[in-house]
Amino acid sequence: QITKADYAYYDYIIGMDHSNLRNMQRAFGGDPAGKLSLLLDYTHRPGQVADPWYTGNFDESYWDIYEGCQAFLEYLKLTNSNQ
């Protein structure tokens, strides 16, 4: 379970959908440092990861997560190389 202390500890806090973001903002009392994002925000098609609970399409969710993780890794590489 996410706690208010997590906000100070982590640099990136990533959710899968808008419901995750709302819950995290509520838990943290906002996002003053801009640490919250959606996983697919790092891709060329920002949005929400398809939830297989509702879609029944686990393959789509897998590929959303895979693409998001790959894009986030590239983002981190670029961010660290510019420092």
Side-chain angles (χ1 to χ4, degrees):
Q1 182 172 340
I2 203 161
T3 67
K4 195 164 186 116
D6 292 331
Y7 193 83
Y9 187 77
Y10 295 103
D11 294 329
Y12 300 94
I13 305 171
I14 301 171
M16 298 294 154
D17 60 32
H18 291 123
S19 177
N20 292 155
L21 279 182
R22 280 192 305 276
N23 290 335
M24 290 187 298
Q25 288 173 337
R26 193 172 319 132
F28 298 137
D31 183 21
K35 295 180 177 188
L36 303 181
S37 63
L38 292 175
L39 182 61
L40 292 181
D41 287 349
Y42 297 96
T43 70
H44 295 293
R45 54 180 192 89
Q48 302 181 85
V49 170
D51 187 337
W53 178 263
Y54 299 105
T55 66
N57 189 340
F58 288 86
D59 288 341
E60 181 182 10
S61 299
Y62 172 86
W63 289 112
D64 280 351
I65 294 166
Y66 178 84
E67 181 181 354
C69 288
Q70 292 291 328
F72 182 59
L73 179 59
E74 289 304 314
Y75 170 81
L76 290 176
K77 287 178 184 177
L78 286 173
T79 301
N80 287 332
S81 70
N82 291 332
Q83 292 180 359

